[in-house]
Amino acid sequence: MEPIGDEIAYDQERLQQFVRGQARAHGLSRRSLLRLLALATGPVATVAASAGPARAGTPGIPTIVKPLPPEVFTVRGTNAETNFQALAGLGRNEPASHFFVRNHTATPNLDAASWQLRVFGDGLRGAPSVTEAVTFDYHDLRRMPARTVDAVVECAGNGRSFYATQQGQAVTGTAWRLGAVGQARWRGVPLSTVLRRAGITDAAVDVMPQGLDDEYVADGVNLGRVRRPLPVAKALDDVLLAYEMNGAPLPPDHGYPVRLIVPSWVGIASIKWVGDIEVSTRPLLSPWNTQFYRLFGDAWPGGASPPLTTQVTKSAFELAWNATLRGGTSRRVHLTGRSWSGRGRVTKVEVSTDATATWRPARLLDRPAPDQWVRWEYDWHRPTLGPAVLAARATDETGATQPTNVALNTQGYLFGAVVLHPVTVT
Ligand SMILES: Nc1nc2c(c(=O)[nH]1)N[C@H]1C(S)=C(S)[C@@H](COP(=O)(O)O)O[C@H]1N2
Ligand SMILES: [Mo]
C-alpha cells in the first residue's frame, strides 16, 4: 500500500476498513459513503458508482463485508470457513458473526427499497418473457404469510481437503476442512407462495433462481451470474425465499435482501441475492448443474452423476486442528461436536479416541430434527498423554453412516468419510 499522502491509496484503504467494519461513517449509509468514495477516487469509482459488486480478485477490495476475526474464520480466497472450535458453547443455531461465507465473487451492495424479484418464463400463465416479468418488491414479500425454519446450509465441497490428506487424492476447488457448514433460523416466504402468485402452471418442470452478484469468470470463461435450476417438486416443497437470519434482516454476505434456503440440499441451491427466477416447461441448464456440482471420475464411467441434491452425513469436533487438550490433572477430557445429514435426522453419534480402532456412543444434546444438526458431547476418561487421533461417526434415520473412505470425484464434493482429527493431550 502507498503512503497515506497518496489520496487514491488512502481512500481505497479507508473503503476497505469501512467494508470490514473497522471504520465508521458518522451517520452516512454505506451506500452514500461508497458514492462519496466514487467521486473522490478514480479506481474505486467503477466499483462503487455502480452500487454493484466489488470484483473478486481486485487487489485491496475485500469480497466479504463482515469482520473475519482469525479465531472465528479461516479465509480461503473469496470465502471464509468457520473454525469449529469457535462454535463450542454456542446454541444450535449459530450467530451470523460465525456463519461461513461462500462467495463466487463478492458480496454486492444492494438496497431492499429498490430491490425487485422478477419471475418469468413459459412455465407461467401467459409465458411472460424476462422483460414482461411478474415482479415482487421487498414489501410484497414482507406482506405475505411467513414461515420460519431452522436449517443447515452446507457447501457441497465441505471436507474437500480430506480427499488429499486422508486418501492421497488430488481434487480441484477450495480446500475446506469441515467448516463450510452452518445452521441458522431463516424466516421468509415459501417459494411456492410466490410461484403460485406469479402463475406457475402444471407444465412447469424447472425453476432457476439467479443472483445479483457479479458474473463469475472461471479459467478465463465468463459463466454469467450464479444460477442453478431446481426441479419444481423441490421448489414447491420446502424452499424459502428468506429475508431474515436469526430474527434480523439477512446480513449482506448471506444474501441481503432476499436469498433462497433449500433445506437439506447442497449449498449452491440456496442462491443468495436473488434477483430473478425463470420458470420453465423444459429442463434448464447452467454451469452449476452441468460442469459443477455433479460427481466426475472413474466411479461414474458414463460421464457424471446427476446434479447433486442432498448432502451426506458428517461430523466435526468443536476443536482446533492439532488442538492441545488438558487432561493431565482431572484425567478426563470433555469433547463436544456437531453432526448433520441432508438425508434425515441424525439419530446416533459415536466417538473414537484411538484412530477408529474402538467406538463409544456420544450423548446427543439436541433432539434429532430434519434439516438440523445435533450437538453432542463425550467424556474421554483417562486419556494417555501425548498425540492422539480422534474421530466421530454419525448415523441418520435412513441408516446412512460415515464410511472410512469415499470414492474419488475430481471436484472433491460430498466428503462424507470419517475425519481423523489430530490432538495432543498434556
Ligand atoms: N448468488 C450467489 N448465491 C450463492 C453463492 C454465490 O456465490 N452467489 N454461493 C453458493 C454456495 S456454493 C454456497 S455453499 C452457499 C453459501 O451460503 P453462505 O455464504 O450464506 O454461507 O451460497 C450459495 N449461493
Ligand atoms: Mo458451495
Side-chain angles (χ1 to χ4, degrees), residues 54-61 63 78 105-106:
R55 202 163 269 284
T58 305
I61 305 287
T63 58
T78 55
T105 59

PDB file of all heavy atoms in Angstrom, residues 54-61 63 78 105-106:
ATOM      1  N   ALA A  54     -18.064  -5.433  -5.745  1.00  0.00           N
ATOM      2  CA  ALA A  54     -16.639  -5.322  -5.966  1.00  0.00           C
ATOM      3  C   ALA A  54     -16.216  -6.568  -6.727  1.00  0.00           C
ATOM      4  O   ALA A  54     -16.731  -7.645  -6.488  1.00  0.00           O
ATOM      5  CB  ALA A  54     -15.912  -5.255  -4.634  1.00  0.00           C
ATOM      6  N   ARG A  55     -15.300  -6.411  -7.653  1.00  0.00           N
ATOM      7  CA  ARG A  55     -14.897  -7.546  -8.476  1.00  0.00           C
ATOM      8  C   ARG A  55     -13.917  -8.406  -7.689  1.00  0.00           C
ATOM      9  O   ARG A  55     -12.958  -7.902  -7.126  1.00  0.00           O
ATOM     10  CB  ARG A  55     -14.240  -7.011  -9.743  1.00  0.00           C
ATOM     11  CG  ARG A  55     -14.241  -7.963 -10.891  1.00  0.00           C
ATOM     12  CD  ARG A  55     -13.964  -7.208 -12.180  1.00  0.00           C
ATOM     13  NE  ARG A  55     -15.198  -6.759 -12.821  1.00  0.00           N
ATOM     14  CZ  ARG A  55     -16.015  -7.554 -13.492  1.00  0.00           C
ATOM     15  NH1 ARG A  55     -15.767  -8.835 -13.597  1.00  0.00           N
ATOM     16  NH2 ARG A  55     -17.087  -7.083 -14.061  1.00  0.00           N
ATOM     17  N   ALA A  56     -14.180  -9.689  -7.651  1.00  0.00           N
ATOM     18  CA  ALA A  56     -13.286 -10.592  -6.932  1.00  0.00           C
ATOM     19  C   ALA A  56     -11.912 -10.506  -7.546  1.00  0.00           C
ATOM     20  O   ALA A  56     -11.773 -10.411  -8.755  1.00  0.00           O
ATOM     21  CB  ALA A  56     -13.804 -12.020  -7.015  1.00  0.00           C
ATOM     22  N   GLY A  57     -10.915 -10.524  -6.701  1.00  0.00           N
ATOM     23  CA  GLY A  57      -9.564 -10.518  -7.216  1.00  0.00           C
ATOM     24  C   GLY A  57      -9.011  -9.118  -7.425  1.00  0.00           C
ATOM     25  O   GLY A  57      -7.846  -8.959  -7.705  1.00  0.00           O
ATOM     26  N   THR A  58      -9.855  -8.070  -7.294  1.00  0.00           N
ATOM     27  CA  THR A  58      -9.330  -6.716  -7.358  1.00  0.00           C
ATOM     28  C   THR A  58      -8.497  -6.501  -6.107  1.00  0.00           C
ATOM     29  O   THR A  58      -9.020  -6.587  -5.006  1.00  0.00           O
ATOM     30  CB  THR A  58     -10.479  -5.687  -7.399  1.00  0.00           C
ATOM     31  OG1 THR A  58     -11.331  -6.014  -8.483  1.00  0.00           O
ATOM     32  CG2 THR A  58      -9.933  -4.287  -7.578  1.00  0.00           C
ATOM     33  N   PRO A  59      -7.192  -6.220  -6.273  1.00  0.00           N
ATOM     34  CA  PRO A  59      -6.350  -6.133  -5.070  1.00  0.00           C
ATOM     35  C   PRO A  59      -6.897  -5.072  -4.128  1.00  0.00           C
ATOM     36  O   PRO A  59      -7.267  -3.994  -4.550  1.00  0.00           O
ATOM     37  CB  PRO A  59      -4.985  -5.737  -5.629  1.00  0.00           C
ATOM     38  CG  PRO A  59      -5.023  -6.089  -7.079  1.00  0.00           C
ATOM     39  CD  PRO A  59      -6.453  -5.976  -7.506  1.00  0.00           C
ATOM     40  N   GLY A  60      -6.964  -5.401  -2.858  1.00  0.00           N
ATOM     41  CA  GLY A  60      -7.358  -4.424  -1.855  1.00  0.00           C
ATOM     42  C   GLY A  60      -8.851  -4.284  -1.658  1.00  0.00           C
ATOM     43  O   GLY A  60      -9.287  -3.583  -0.772  1.00  0.00           O
ATOM     44  N   ILE A  61      -9.667  -4.894  -2.486  1.00  0.00           N
ATOM     45  CA  ILE A  61     -11.116  -4.789  -2.299  1.00  0.00           C
ATOM     46  C   ILE A  61     -11.621  -6.118  -1.720  1.00  0.00           C
ATOM     47  O   ILE A  61     -11.615  -7.131  -2.394  1.00  0.00           O
ATOM     48  CB  ILE A  61     -11.854  -4.504  -3.628  1.00  0.00           C
ATOM     49  CG1 ILE A  61     -11.290  -3.264  -4.313  1.00  0.00           C
ATOM     50  CG2 ILE A  61     -13.353  -4.356  -3.372  1.00  0.00           C
ATOM     51  CD1 ILE A  61     -11.638  -1.941  -3.683  1.00  0.00           C
ATOM     52  N   THR A  63     -13.928  -9.167  -0.496  1.00  0.00           N
ATOM     53  CA  THR A  63     -15.107  -9.764  -1.104  1.00  0.00           C
ATOM     54  C   THR A  63     -16.170 -10.102  -0.071  1.00  0.00           C
ATOM     55  O   THR A  63     -17.269 -10.462  -0.433  1.00  0.00           O
ATOM     56  CB  THR A  63     -14.707 -11.043  -1.851  1.00  0.00           C
ATOM     57  OG1 THR A  63     -14.092 -11.920  -0.914  1.00  0.00           O
ATOM     58  CG2 THR A  63     -13.743 -10.743  -2.977  1.00  0.00           C
ATOM     59  N   THR A  78     -12.012 -16.104  -1.854  1.00  0.00           N
ATOM     60  CA  THR A  78     -13.170 -15.222  -1.678  1.00  0.00           C
ATOM     61  C   THR A  78     -14.115 -15.730  -0.593  1.00  0.00           C
ATOM     62  O   THR A  78     -15.203 -15.185  -0.416  1.00  0.00           O
ATOM     63  CB  THR A  78     -13.956 -15.108  -3.004  1.00  0.00           C
ATOM     64  OG1 THR A  78     -14.305 -16.440  -3.439  1.00  0.00           O
ATOM     65  CG2 THR A  78     -13.143 -14.447  -4.099  1.00  0.00           C
ATOM     66  N   THR A 105     -17.876 -14.505  -6.221  1.00  0.00           N
ATOM     67  CA  THR A 105     -17.146 -13.266  -6.499  1.00  0.00           C
ATOM     68  C   THR A 105     -17.105 -12.430  -5.222  1.00  0.00           C
ATOM     69  O   THR A 105     -16.246 -12.640  -4.391  1.00  0.00           O
ATOM     70  CB  THR A 105     -17.763 -12.487  -7.681  1.00  0.00           C
ATOM     71  OG1 THR A 105     -19.116 -12.163  -7.380  1.00  0.00           O
ATOM     72  CG2 THR A 105     -17.696 -13.294  -8.962  1.00  0.00           C
ATOM     73  N   ALA A 106     -18.057 -11.539  -5.055  1.00  0.00           N
ATOM     74  CA  ALA A 106     -18.019 -10.636  -3.903  1.00  0.00           C
ATOM     75  C   ALA A 106     -19.433 -10.291  -3.473  1.00  0.00           C
ATOM     76  O   ALA A 106     -20.365 -10.280  -4.293  1.00  0.00           O
ATOM     77  CB  ALA A 106     -17.275  -9.365  -4.280  1.00  0.00           C
TER      78      ALA A 106
END
